[in-house]
Amino acid sequence: MSLNRFPLRASIAVSDIGAAVEFYEGKLGLQALQSGPSATIVDGGRVYGSAGRPALNVYQSATAGKSPATLVTWYVDDLDQVVDELTAAGVEIVRYDGLEHDARGITPRAGGGRIAWLRDPDGNILAVESDF
């Protein structure tokens, strides 16, 4: 048995699907491919696409914002442009103590490349990253 041949979809728990929709759709520009229930919460979940396929499940849950780790990373071609667009949309780029950040908040990535972090309304950590 190998899971290698099956598509993968990340899931992120949020405490308020309305606030999450405003952030993921309004600020990040994601388009919902479908919406539906989350456990007993009518219309409490969304599936967003990325690169032409379902990629991210956002659902309302009491476990929202509990992970201190990066949950999702988008790999982009022009990190400077994407960070500028996110900032213009009102997204705050996270700066971590002890890391070097440029004026945009972008950090050199271990092993090469660059990365910038952001948080959704529940504090879930997301990232945008490029290899150059």
Side-chain angles (χ1 to χ4, degrees):
M1 162 53 193
S2 173
L3 294 177
N4 191 49
R5 60 189 170 103
F6 299 102
L8 178 68
R9 185 179 306 164
S11 293
I12 296 178
V14 298
S15 64
D16 178 342
I17 194 65
V21 165
E22 187 177 311
F23 177 79
Y24 286 93
E25 294 176 24
K27 294 190 179 209
L28 300 188
L30 300 181
Q31 294 181 342
L33 301 178
Q34 66 185 91
S35 63
S38 173
T40 60
I41 303 162
V42 177
D43 200 34
R46 299 288 185 282
V47 174
Y48 293 105
S50 184
R53 62 177 31 181
L56 179 61
N57 180 41
V58 175
Y59 64 98
Q60 188 164 320
S61 172
T63 63
K66 304 285 188 212
S67 176
T70 302
L71 299 178
V72 175
T73 302
W74 283 270
Y75 294 88
V76 302
D77 294 329
D78 188 338
L79 186 58
D80 294 309
Q81 178 183 345
V82 169
V83 167
D84 287 347
E85 290 172 2
L86 289 169
T87 302
V91 175
E92 182 180 336
I93 301 303
V94 177
R95 295 172 186 263
Y96 291 104
D97 291 339
L99 293 179
E100 174 188 330
H101 301 279
D102 70 11
R104 289 180 169 92
I106 298 171
T107 301
R109 186 183 67 197
R114 302 180 311 140
I115 188 168
W117 291 277
L118 51 138
R119 287 191 179 105
D120 77 359
D122 285 293
N124 292 309
I125 301 167
L126 318 172
V128 287
E129 184 173 331
S130 73
D131 287 332
F132 44 91

